Amino acid sequence: MITRDAHAFFASARMFACDFGPATAQAAFLVAPEGFCRADQSAQDNLYMAQASSFDAECALAQHRALHRAMSEVLPTVCFAGDPATPDAVFPNNVFATAAGRYVVGRMRHPVRQREADRADIRNFLGGVLDYAEIDLSTQAHACELTGSLVIDRARGLGLCGLSERCDDQGARLMHEALGLRATLMFDLAPGEYHANVVLAVLAGRAAVVSPRGFADAGVAEAIADFYAPNAIVLSEAEHAAFAGNSIALSSDTVWMSARAEAALDPRNRQLLAAAGFGVRAVQLDAIEAGGGSLRCCIAEIF
């Protein structure tokens, strides 16, 4: 089932048990921000991206190493070398996704990002070392920037797909099929938003972080929050701007976000996360956030 009808989607979703698969990843990989700088093509539809003068490549590398060390404490985490020819490659979750013994390669909108899909080392790791079957969407015509555009409830097999220049209706259908999801809800992002994972997170299948500011139709954001109530964390505009929506659960008891996002978190929302069973772990990523994404964008999960 793939639909724009939120009422029909959640009526079906309430019938699904949390038995689709593991709610959190078994491992992850990163790509180092070597040659990190402003990608002007990506900046065309990423309003979060800073001006070139705000990029600090050495600081970004140091912060990324700290993220790698921190993640390695809780799950196996591989880091691939970066490439100055692909300055956005630090955000690999847009390009590679995994599910149940297969990996999917996405179709990026901008040519500077399409190069990332050709990386033989990452493909060989996923297909050769892990022996995952490949589903390659990178050469078809429809933009589908994987778990940037598509937020997944892995426990239930649900997809929540934000449509923008980075993912169209057909791209959403291709991802739905490739990842074998039970049901996917398509919705339009608000003007100026580029990826759903900046405005929405599903945490270990039992909580959701929702920023109504990022949805073209606030009723969709409300429906998502109602579905995950009482574990729905609704973000203010200040929390949204600080990337609090770009968070991720790497285990059943901790939500990870950038230090900037954690500092902006309202005490009430922190309490709601605690009531849902999540502590907050923050990593300083302001140098990387100059690139228009935050912590969740850096992490390609392996299921």
Side-chain angles (χ1 to χ4, degrees):
M1 173 188 185
I2 181 165
T3 181
R4 283 178 172 265
D5 186 333
H7 178 77
F9 174 83
F10 285 113
S12 294
R14 287 184 170 88
M15 306 291 289
F16 298 142
C18 294
D19 61 356
F20 186 76
T24 59
Q26 62 178 331
F29 73 82
L30 310 171
V31 176
E34 294 171 33
F36 190 56
C37 63
R38 179 181 166 92
D40 289 335
Q41 288 179 11
S42 299
Q44 294 172 20
D45 58 357
N46 183 343
L47 300 182
Y48 297 94
M49 192 175 290
Q51 295 301 310
S53 60
S54 298
F55 282 72
D56 184 336
E58 288 303 313
C59 185
L61 279 166
Q63 290 181 353
H64 196 266
R65 285 193 292 269
L67 173 64
H68 188 189
R69 287 193 299 271
M71 288 178 57
S72 295
E73 295 173 8
V74 297
L75 81 170
T77 306
V78 174
C79 186
F80 291 94
D83 181 351
T86 56
D88 282 339
V90 69
F91 304 130
N93 80 307
N94 308 160
V95 189
F96 298 97
T98 65
R102 59 193 180 277
Y103 75 95
V104 183
V105 186
R107 165 63 158 79
M108 308 304 292
R109 181 190 181 202
H110 296 294
V112 69
R113 299 223 61 190
Q114 291 168 10
R115 301 171 197 156
E116 298 173 41
D118 295 329
R119 287 196 56 154
D121 55 347
I122 296 177
R123 288 181 183 244
N124 288 339
F125 172 72
L126 295 170
V129 177
L130 299 185
D131 198 27
Y132 283 13
E134 180 186 84
I135 300 176
D136 190 352
L137 304 179
S138 67
T139 60
Q140 53 78 42
H142 298 274
C144 51
E145 298 199 357
L146 299 187
T147 54
S149 298
L150 179 67
V151 174
I152 303 174
D153 180 334
R154 299 279 184 165
R156 295 178 179 84
L158 302 177
L160 300 164
C161 190
L163 303 182
S164 70
E165 295 91 340
R166 304 291 187 97
C167 181
D168 63 16
D169 292 59
Q170 185 58 29
R173 293 180 185 279
L174 290 168
M175 293 190 298
H176 169 82
E177 294 168 1
L179 293 165
L181 299 175
R182 286 169 167 162
T184 293
L185 175 65
M186 298 182 292
F187 54 89
D188 292 320
L189 295 176
E193 298 294 344
Y194 72 109
H195 275 162
N197 77 352
V198 178
V199 303
L200 174 66
V202 174
L203 306 177
R206 68 175 191 272
V209 179
V210 185
S211 176
R213 157 70 177 76
F215 292 73
D217 180 355
V220 175
E222 183 178 352
I224 295 170
D226 286 346
F227 181 75
Y228 287 97
N231 299 330
I233 293 83
V234 179
L235 300 179
S236 67
E237 291 207 13
E239 291 168 306
H240 167 100
F243 287 113
N246 197 240
S247 53
I248 187 171
L250 297 176
S251 61
S252 63
D253 59 356
T254 305
V255 56
W256 292 63
M257 61 183 67
S258 73
R260 174 184 173 191
E262 192 271 340
L265 199 62
D266 185 272
R268 181 177 179 275
N269 282 338
R270 194 183 300 273
Q271 291 171 0
L272 287 171
L273 285 168
F278 294 101
V280 178
R281 184 158 181 180
V283 179
Q284 186 65 253
L285 288 176
D286 59 302
I288 287 172
E289 287 173 336
S294 190
L295 189 143
R296 194 274 171 269
C297 299
C298 294
I299 300 169
E301 298 170 281
I302 299 173
F303 286 88

